[in-house]
Amino acid sequence: MASSTKENTTSQRILSYLKECPEGANIIEISKRIGIGRNQVARHLANLSQVGRLDLITDGNNKIYRLAHRIPFHIFSTYPKGGAIGFNRSLLVQEVSENALRILGCSESELIDTWIEDLPHPLFHELNLDSMAREVLDGRISTHHTVTGQIGTNFFEVSLYPCIFDDLTNGVAIVLSDLSDTEKIIKTEQRVSDRFDDLMEETEEFIVDLDANDRIARVNRALACYFDTVPANLIGLLGLPSIPPEDLVIVKQTARSDPTSSDSPSTPVEVRVVMPDGKVRYQKWRAYPEERNGILWSLHCIGSDITEKKLQEERIRLYESGFATIIDERTSDLRGIIQKLKARIDDLQRIEQQQYLTESRYLRLTETISEIIWETGEDHQFTYVSPRVQDSIRETPDNLIGKHFFDLIDDTVGQARTLDFISLLISGKPIDRMVTPIRSSDGSTQWFEISGVPNIGPDGSFHGYCGIANDITRKVLEDELKTEILSIIESTAHIVAITREDGFFTYLNKAGKKFFGLSKLSDISQVCFFSFIPRADYQDYLAKRAEAAEAGYWMGDSIIISCDGTLVPVSQTIQCHRHEISKKPYFSTIIRDISDRLAFEQELATAYEYSRMLTEVNPDLIATFSVEGKILDVNAAVERVTGFTRQKLIGKEYFQFFSDSEKVKDAHMKVLSQGSAVEYTTDIVHKTGRITQVIGRCVAFRDQFGNLKGVFATARIIQPDSDQKTGGDLHMEQKEKHRKPPPGEKHADD
């Protein structure tokens, strides 16, 4: 029940926002406005479009959604004003009312699937109704449109309405009314007026009609409920409720100064309202003046509450102002840091200059001190190494001359330190006591604390390094894990642990202690990691550790138990290590919770299945082709028309399935060269030789980099084969399919 309520709330929020945005909005704008993710918004927009609540307008790659003003066609079947004829998007008759049959003097079977220009009534030709119907279908006319015409002594009124059929497809309804009968017109207008009153009561917006003296003549229930009263208590009040007179003057002036306000909404006016309980709210009003002989006769006002929108805008303004303040503060701090760095660089340059001047004295000193003295040229090759190096790495100075530091560094251990040291060497920056692993001639690893400064010539050119190195192997083996790596591991959000071969912890970071429910004072050496492995996965986990011991590491997904007993899917890396001295194995592991990732992957799979189902149930032919004309994908409708399965169609040139393949090739090349949609009519040949006439439309599609990737094509059957059912039979089956069964009776499809 909670999920259903949330779904309804999301749809209502989308509809409420689009009511305030009559020009429409795209998915990104709607998602930001209502604060919901794009995928969820897209799913709701697709559902609302499918049931006819929204219209989708494509502007290039931009998809604009706006509220649909479509009337269910079945309402016209009892419409007393005249006869209604429903046309689908191909302007073929899909449904027709009894009154229309009487006016046209035809049977239903004669009209169904008849093109609009072939209807037996001169009004359809004289008034060019096919052009106006196409404008309604394409959204250029979003509300109903009415024209009049005369045939002999009879006058007719023709109204076009955007409509939706019972099968949830969109179309246009054309209503023919004979205006010769005045009494019928009066009754019709009365019913229309009653229907308008009903709609006014159902809408969530505020509707108020003011007379010439600014007194309320009519008000809907939405505004009355807003003030916790009934409409009758507001009738006769002066002005709009709780709105200051000066704001009402602005609303009236804005409405009367807009030359288009009689046919389209005037510029909305935002007003501040003080409610009876003292609370301050904000409203937005637009007005439609009704004038007679240049005199304001009445004012029709439509409003809505925008308090939440104003509060949101204020929050954004305060956030932006606070953000600017933080940027100013951080910029000031950076200036101070830069000044200190510049001063430090100046000091180093002075030191380097002094060092260059005392080079001869430095060379004599290298023979007497206990540290290893080294020097490199501009190509980082050793030009001098003091004899002390032989005591540490069993290499004579002569063997080292001409070699690089890179030849001596043991990159199998201390990789982070090694990279830092190499980066400094390459950059030519001073080296300050960098701890670096050096490989000895006997294969062992020795750790050195290396310092050095670049030799800069008078012209500022780099001539190499000179420095000293101290053997600190014993100290590194004792302190490295406790000093440099510990702070990094403790701050990570992932679980990092070190265990013995028997699974008991020797180290567990903060994230791991929190996940397994251990306090800071807990003795982790008494806790076994194996106890957090599900019993069913225990043997599999031991196999993973064995693989890590053999290959050096194992990486993959697994499941562990959290402190509250929850099974948590994780991405885990297990790496096997050996102690430098004892060579005993121990294991390190990095664990990351991947619950969100798995949920997202499931959501992507569901979205793909949903998109594929929408394509498959579409009665139109849908296909995609490569630039060369090879079939990439088709829906079930294409399989039925060609007689081949989807697997056999993919990879074939689609031109061969048309009777006029050259015409289709020309259209294909035109789409690729122009990049715009191309529409054409042609015949598809079934594998049995049966011909199906279709009207097709193709458009080129590109990837995110603008590269041409292929052609997207749709087609609709416009002339069914002789062995297919007639339009009337299809219509009757469709109506029977959507008929609601009586209570207790199961549908035939069930």
Side-chain angles (χ1 to χ4, degrees):
M1 180 66 71
S3 176
S4 176
T5 303
K6 183 177 180 182
E7 294 287 319
N8 293 334
T9 301
T10 302
S11 298
Q12 290 299 326
R13 291 175 66 185
I14 292 174
L15 293 174
S16 299
Y17 170 63
L18 291 178
K19 285 180 182 179
E20 298 178 4
C21 187
E23 66 276 10
N26 58 31
I27 293 177
I28 297 176
E29 294 170 344
I30 296 173
S31 175
K32 289 182 179 179
R33 182 64 179 85
I34 68 176
I36 297 177
R38 298 182 187 175
N39 291 338
Q40 188 175 358
V41 169
R43 179 165 58 85
H44 284 279
L45 289 174
N47 292 337
L48 292 172
S49 299
Q50 186 177 12
V51 299
R53 298 294 300 276
L54 299 179
D55 282 335
L56 173 60
I57 301 172
T58 303
D59 182 11
N61 293 330
N62 191 20
K63 295 182 178 179
I64 303 298
Y65 292 86
R66 67 184 184 190
L67 288 179
H69 302 282
R70 299 186 178 276
I71 303 173
F73 185 82
H74 62 78
I75 293 178
F76 295 102
S77 62
T78 58
Y79 195 53
K81 188 174 182 180
I85 308 172
F87 297 88
N88 59 23
R89 295 197 64 84
S90 297
L91 292 182
L92 300 176
V93 177
Q94 182 165 333
E95 293 190 35
V96 61
S97 69
E98 294 294 333
N99 288 341
L101 296 176
R102 179 180 53 79
I103 293 173
L104 298 178
C106 301
S107 65
E108 184 176 6
S109 61
E110 292 175 338
L111 292 181
I112 296 300
D113 288 339
T114 302
W115 195 32
I116 187 172
E117 290 189 352
D118 297 333
L119 291 177
H121 199 288
L123 279 177
F124 288 86
H125 307 286
E126 293 184 4
L127 299 180
N128 196 20
L129 293 182
D130 57 333
S131 176
M132 287 186 284
R134 179 58 64 187
E135 291 183 353
V136 173
L137 287 171
D138 293 342
R140 294 192 292 272
I141 300 178
S142 59
T143 59
H144 80 275
H145 185 66
T146 302
V147 294
T148 58
Q150 182 177 359
I151 303 298
T153 59
N154 294 330
F155 291 86
F156 289 88
E157 180 185 83
V158 181
S159 298
L160 292 86
Y161 298 85
C163 73
I164 184 170
F165 297 103
D166 290 341
D167 61 358
L168 302 181
T169 59
N170 298 333
V172 58
I174 296 182
V175 180
L176 279 70
S177 302
D178 190 347
L179 302 182
S180 303
D181 191 347
T182 305
E183 182 177 357
K184 185 185 296 184
I185 294 174
I186 295 174
K187 291 181 179 179
T188 301
E189 290 179 350
Q190 181 61 41
R191 290 190 179 94
V192 172
S193 177
D194 294 341
R195 180 56 181 161
F196 173 77
D197 292 340
D198 293 340
L199 292 175
M200 187 181 75
E201 292 301 320
E202 294 173 1
T203 183
E204 297 179 358
E205 292 187 311
F206 309 146
I207 299 179
V208 181
D209 288 348
L210 301 179
D211 59 18
N213 297 321
D214 292 340
R215 293 195 177 275
I216 298 177
R218 183 164 57 176
V219 64
N220 70 338
R221 185 179 291 108
L223 184 60
C225 293
Y226 186 76
F227 289 98
D228 197 19
T229 185
V230 295
N233 293 337
L234 299 178
I235 301 297
L237 295 181
L238 183 63
L240 297 173
S242 299
I243 293 180
E246 57 271 18
D247 288 339
L248 178 59
V249 172
I250 296 174
V251 173
K252 293 172 65 176
Q253 291 176 346
T254 303
R256 301 191 70 181
S257 62
D258 190 346
T260 64
S261 61
S262 60
D263 297 323
S264 60
S266 62
T267 304
V269 177
E270 295 183 1
V271 297
R272 182 175 179 271
V273 180
V274 180
M275 301 297 289
D277 58 0
K279 294 182 179 179
V280 176
R281 308 284 297 181
Y282 294 90
Q283 297 176 358
K284 179 172 67 176
W285 288 90
R286 57 183 184 273
Y288 304 82
E290 182 180 352
E291 297 182 351
R292 299 183 183 179
N293 298 325
I295 300 175
L296 181 64
W297 189 262
S298 63
L299 191 67
H300 306 286
C301 303
I302 301 177
S304 60
D305 186 280
I306 59 170
T307 304
E308 292 300 325
K309 178 181 178 182
K310 295 288 289 186
L311 293 176
Q312 184 67 18
E313 291 175 350
E314 180 63 18
R315 294 189 192 103
I316 293 174
R317 187 189 64 80
L318 293 175
Y319 173 79
E320 290 177 347
S321 62
F323 187 67
T325 302
I326 293 174
I327 291 177
D328 292 340
E329 293 175 353
R330 294 295 183 269
T331 302
S332 178
D333 295 342
L334 287 174
R335 290 194 187 99
I337 294 173
I338 291 173
Q339 291 177 354
K340 293 179 180 179
L341 288 175
K342 187 177 182 302
R344 177 62 176 165
I345 291 172
D346 293 341
D347 293 341
L348 290 175
Q349 289 176 343
R350 286 193 296 270
I351 293 173
E352 291 169 1
Q353 184 65 24
Q354 294 174 0
Q355 194 171 18
Y356 176 77
L357 297 175
T358 59
E359 180 179 359
S360 59
R361 192 186 319 167
Y362 157 75
L363 292 175
R364 292 193 300 270
L365 188 62
T366 58
E367 301 295 334
T368 60
I369 62 177
S370 60
E371 290 85 2
I372 300 172
I373 307 300
W374 57 272
E375 185 176 353
T376 63
E378 60 186 31
D379 54 358
H380 298 294
Q381 292 180 336
F382 287 112
T383 58
Y384 173 79
V385 181
S386 65
R388 297 287 184 184
V389 69
Q390 190 169 357
D391 298 336
S392 297
I393 63 172
R394 309 296 187 270
E395 287 280 1
T396 63
D398 294 338
N399 291 338
L400 295 178
I401 300 300
K403 292 185 177 181
H404 293 82
F405 258 118
F406 315 132
D407 300 325
L408 303 179
I409 293 176
D410 189 352
D411 55 3
T412 61
V413 295
Q415 296 176 356
R417 299 175 186 269
T418 300
L419 290 175
D420 291 341
F421 179 70
I422 293 176
S423 298
L424 282 176
L425 279 179
I426 296 175
S427 65
K429 295 180 180 179
I431 303 170
D432 184 16
R433 293 181 295 180
M434 289 294 298
V435 178
T436 306
I438 300 297
R439 188 170 47 253
S440 178
S441 61
D442 60 3
S444 63
T445 300
Q446 303 296 318
W447 292 85
F448 287 85
E449 187 180 75
I450 301 174
S451 299
V453 293
N455 290 327
I456 306 299
D459 57 351
S461 59
F462 176 78
H463 294 290
Y465 276 98
C466 62
I468 60 174
N470 289 318
D471 189 344
I472 58 168
T473 302
R474 180 176 296 180
K475 182 176 183 301
V476 168
L477 293 176
E478 295 175 351
D479 300 336
E480 181 158 324
L481 288 178
K482 296 180 181 180
T483 55
E484 296 185 14
I485 301 177
L486 188 61
S487 61
I488 300 174
I489 297 177
E490 285 295 318
S491 62
T492 183
H494 302 326
I495 300 172
V496 180
I498 300 175
T499 60
R500 300 196 303 263
E501 192 173 9
D502 58 3
F504 283 86
F505 289 113
T506 58
Y507 171 77
L508 187 62
N509 69 343
K510 292 180 181 178
K513 291 179 180 178
K514 181 179 179 181
F515 183 87
F516 295 122
L518 302 176
S519 66
K520 295 181 179 179
L521 302 179
S522 298
D523 185 3
I524 62 172
S525 64
Q526 302 301 315
V527 181
C528 183
F529 179 71
F530 295 159
S531 62
F532 299 99
I533 304 298
R535 184 180 299 274
D537 298 338
Y538 179 72
Q539 293 300 326
D540 181 58
Y541 184 78
L542 291 181
K544 296 172 182 176
R545 280 172 59 100
E547 181 180 343
E550 181 178 355
Y553 74 95
W554 175 88
M555 180 182 299
D557 296 342
S558 59
I559 297 177
I560 61 175
I561 305 172
S562 66
C563 61
D564 59 1
T566 304
L567 297 179
V568 180
V570 297
S571 173
Q572 186 174 5
T573 300
I574 304 174
Q575 191 165 1
C576 181
H577 312 270
R578 294 188 181 275
H579 291 284
E580 188 68 22
I581 299 176
S582 66
K583 304 299 181 182
K584 289 184 178 181
Y586 63 97
F587 296 87
S588 66
T589 181
I590 301 175
I591 302 172
R592 178 170 61 90
D593 188 343
I594 60 172
S595 301
D596 292 341
R597 190 197 76 187
L598 295 179
F600 179 73
E601 291 175 351
Q602 181 62 37
E603 184 177 351
L604 284 180
T606 303
Y608 173 79
E609 184 66 19
Y610 175 78
S611 176
R612 186 66 196 177
M613 290 174 63
L614 287 179
T615 303
E616 288 299 322
V617 301
N618 196 317
D620 292 342
L621 284 64
I622 300 176
T624 54
F625 313 123
S626 67
V627 175
E628 297 78 14
K630 298 294 183 65
I631 297 176
L632 301 177
D633 199 1
V634 297
N635 69 345
V638 178
E639 293 178 321
R640 291 192 294 270
V641 172
T642 61
F644 294 96
T645 63
R646 176 171 173 265
Q647 289 75 14
K648 291 187 177 181
L649 288 172
I650 292 176
K652 300 289 193 306
E653 286 192 352
Y654 76 95
F655 313 118
Q656 61 183 292
F657 299 100
F658 293 87
S659 60
D660 191 353
S661 60
E662 293 301 321
K663 177 181 178 181
V664 178
K665 286 183 179 179
D666 292 341
H668 182 81
M669 298 307 297
K670 186 176 180 181
V671 171
L672 295 178
S673 61
Q674 297 180 358
S676 59
V678 174
E679 187 170 299
Y680 56 90
T681 303
T682 185
D683 296 331
I684 297 179
V685 182
H686 192 271
K687 69 178 182 180
T688 62
R690 185 181 62 201
I691 301 298
T692 303
Q693 188 177 15
V694 298
I695 180 170
R697 185 177 178 85
C698 299
V699 65
F701 63 89
R702 301 175 182 272
D703 59 17
Q704 66 270 30
F705 305 105
N707 300 319
L708 190 63
K709 303 301 291 183
V711 174
F712 178 84
T714 63
R716 175 165 295 180
I717 299 175
I718 60 175
Q719 184 176 348
D721 294 337
S722 59
D723 58 336
Q724 293 182 355
K725 297 178 180 180
T726 65
D729 294 334
L730 290 173
H731 173 68
M732 295 302 293
E733 285 186 6
Q734 193 174 45
K735 292 181 67 177
E736 182 64 21
K737 182 179 180 179
H738 291 280
R739 180 180 68 86
K740 294 183 178 179
E745 178 184 339
K746 292 186 177 180
H747 198 283
D749 294 340
D750 298 334

